[in-house]
Amino acid sequence: RRVHGIHLRKYLKMVRFFEPERHDPSLFFIRKVQDILADKIEGLSEREAKESIHFFFSTGYYGYLFRQFIQRGREIPDIHLDSHCPRFNFVMSSRTDFRFLKGIYKPEEGKIVLCLNLMKNVLHLKENLDRELMMSYDDLLNDGALRRDDKEYACSAIRACRAELNNYGEMNEENVRKATFSCAKYMVRNRGPNVGRLPYDSWVRYANRLVDENSFCFAKREPYPGFYG
């Protein structure tokens, strides 16, 4: 076989490099055990998480958000604390990829899942809670459009990532914008409502473009007080 005059057969006969971290099942098993032990040692306990969330909700920071649910006759999402979230997957999955986002809003189930075993401190807990509460709030305002409309999802992802970063008061505006759009692109690529309907490389370009085209959503302030300082 040839491609543009290049003989492919000779490349098929070339010696393949053995990469232990990717191909050695024994090493993979050892690393997996190490990850599980590290999660148990370093992860937040359920008691710590519950006490922290109770304190967060008692401050009034989320008051406006909660009132919007009540006024519209909708249930505030349940907070589900999970101590067995997978650290990562080898294939892209829109619902179980927790490498960078240690929580997820599940509108069909009316709950927010927070991965305690992947969180190392209370700050991790709060930033993931704030991000996914923002997703639930936008889902409420848009009557479920986030579940089917990629553009609406991209806008909400920008707002949600911005809400997460509001926990880092020392970041300057330029770094906040960069981090927000990087986070939002990751969310759309891996959790957008229509993920999987395009070839992966096409979907990535499409998802990145959606975030860029909806950059104005960065300036939408509600529902958190002092959202932009």
Side-chain angles (χ1 to χ4, degrees):
R1 298 176 61 187
R2 296 168 178 259
V3 175
H4 297 302
I6 299 176
H7 293 277
L8 297 182
R9 191 176 301 278
K10 67 177 181 180
Y11 292 99
L12 298 176
K13 294 180 179 180
M14 293 177 66
V15 176
R16 303 293 179 86
F17 288 99
F18 179 74
E19 300 180 49
E21 292 189 3
R22 297 183 60 183
H23 301 117
D24 188 336
S26 299
L27 183 56
F28 173 78
F29 176 75
I30 292 172
R31 289 283 176 83
K32 186 64 177 178
V33 171
Q34 288 176 334
D35 288 345
I36 293 172
L37 291 175
D39 289 342
K40 288 184 176 180
I41 293 172
E42 300 175 6
L44 279 178
S45 70
E46 186 172 330
R47 180 184 61 81
E48 290 173 319
K50 285 182 177 179
E51 290 178 353
S52 298
I53 292 172
H54 177 75
F55 172 75
F56 297 155
F57 289 171
S58 70
T59 62
Y61 184 73
Y62 304 91
Y64 178 82
L65 182 150
F66 291 156
R67 286 195 297 274
Q68 298 306 304
F69 278 90
I70 295 170
Q71 290 173 8
R72 288 169 170 77
R74 291 273 298 277
E75 293 289 332
I76 297 169
D78 289 332
I79 307 299
H80 178 73
L81 304 177
D82 191 341
S83 296
H84 301 91
C85 290
R87 182 179 288 267
F88 61 85
N89 288 308
F90 284 105
V91 295
M92 188 185 75
S93 170
S94 63
R95 298 304 178 201
T96 56
D97 184 356
F98 296 109
R99 283 174 292 180
F100 303 111
L101 306 176
K102 300 172 176 61
I104 188 169
Y105 168 55
K106 295 190 172 184
E108 299 84 0
E109 301 175 36
K111 69 180 181 182
I112 291 172
V113 177
L114 299 174
C115 299
L116 298 187
N117 60 304
L118 302 181
M119 297 179 185
K120 309 307 180 188
N121 51 55
V122 174
L123 177 59
H124 284 175
L125 179 69
K126 189 173 187 301
E127 64 184 15
N128 282 275
L129 177 65
D130 288 356
R131 183 188 64 245
E132 301 308 327
L133 277 173
M134 177 68 89
M135 296 298 292
S136 70
Y137 174 79
D138 281 1
D139 189 48
L140 171 72
L141 295 188
N142 292 281
D143 296 320
L146 273 62
R147 311 178 199 186
R148 56 184 182 273
D149 190 316
D150 294 322
K151 182 177 179 180
E152 292 289 349
Y153 189 92
C155 183
S156 185
I158 293 170
R159 285 167 35 74
C161 290
R162 177 64 185 89
E164 171 183 341
L165 291 165
N166 200 45
N167 290 288
Y168 295 85
E170 70 279 3
M171 293 181 68
N172 63 46
E173 186 74 4
E174 181 181 358
N175 288 337
V176 169
R177 288 186 67 89
K178 288 180 179 178
T180 294
F181 292 125
S182 177
C183 166
K185 288 176 180 179
Y186 183 85
M187 286 189 70
V188 179
R189 288 198 305 266
N190 292 278
R191 298 181 175 182
N194 293 303
V195 63
R197 295 191 179 183
L198 290 174
Y200 182 64
D201 56 341
S202 299
W203 173 259
V204 169
R205 289 193 296 270
Y206 169 70
N208 291 345
R209 187 175 73 249
L210 275 178
V211 173
D212 291 337
E213 291 175 350
N214 288 275
S215 59
F216 62 89
C217 296
F218 182 86
K220 294 187 175 182
R221 299 169 180 265
E222 74 284 347
Y224 297 129
F227 194 0
Y228 289 83

